[in-house]
Amino acid sequence: SGEGIAISTDHPVSKVALNYLAEQWPAPVTFDNLLETARARAASRAATDSDTASKAGHKSSDAEVLTANLLTAFGYDSSLVDFHSYSPAFTPNVSERPVASPVARYQAQQAGPVTNLRHERVTLNSLDSFLLYHLDGGHDRAALLDRLMDGPVAQGVLTVQPESQEPVTEDQIRAILAAEIEHKLDWLACAALLVA
């Protein structure tokens, strides 16, 4: 997990399944999809690894062992595995004109954390809040950059100073902020704050 907590297993399908969950995070994966994907990946690895091939089980026992391992991981520490009875309506992908959760956009106007689509509280800095509020589907990256330049940068609330401490031109500021916007949008998507 992000906190450094780990679980180990010698079951090939469970190993692959846990890696697949990490790849897909924060998006949920149905158990059937998880089992099918993990079995297929474990089978392709088993073809080149005789030790793995000897440990490969049957579909029904794989499902039982994977279930037991997921429950063990959740019981050990809930930061390892999440269980959902529904599929939260967020997207881990940033679209051309990103849209944030209406609730989170409203909360971004207030001081304090916002609620993501996984019903978790997310702490934002002032730049995160500014961007989140403007993610209404009507702004592409260029428009978001213009909003930043005309708002917080023009007002002196947001300053850009590279490591060199040399004075920067407006073009340099725009380039630095464009890269930061891209980074922040990816982070907001991973924080389950964007809708499809």
Side-chain angles (χ1 to χ4, degrees), residues 105-180:
R105 287 185 61 239
Y106 172 78
Q107 291 174 327
Q109 298 175 75
Q110 321 301 318
V114 298
T115 306
N116 70 9
L117 292 158
R118 293 167 45 105
H119 305 289
E120 301 165 330
R121 303 291 283 161
V122 178
T123 302
L124 304 176
N125 65 28
S126 57
L127 179 56
D128 299 331
S129 295
F130 182 88
L131 288 174
L132 185 66
Y133 176 73
H134 289 91
L135 298 182
D136 59 3
H139 300 91
D140 61 8
R141 287 154 179 82
L144 291 169
L145 178 58
D146 289 340
R147 290 274 180 162
L148 272 174
M149 293 297 292
D150 295 341
V153 173
Q155 297 164 1
V157 175
L158 176 65
T159 58
V160 178
Q161 186 64 47
E163 293 175 7
S164 67
Q165 302 298 322
E166 297 283 326
V168 291
T169 66
E170 183 175 334
D171 287 342
Q172 290 172 317
I173 292 171
R174 291 181 76 82
I176 291 167
L177 287 177
E180 187 64 15

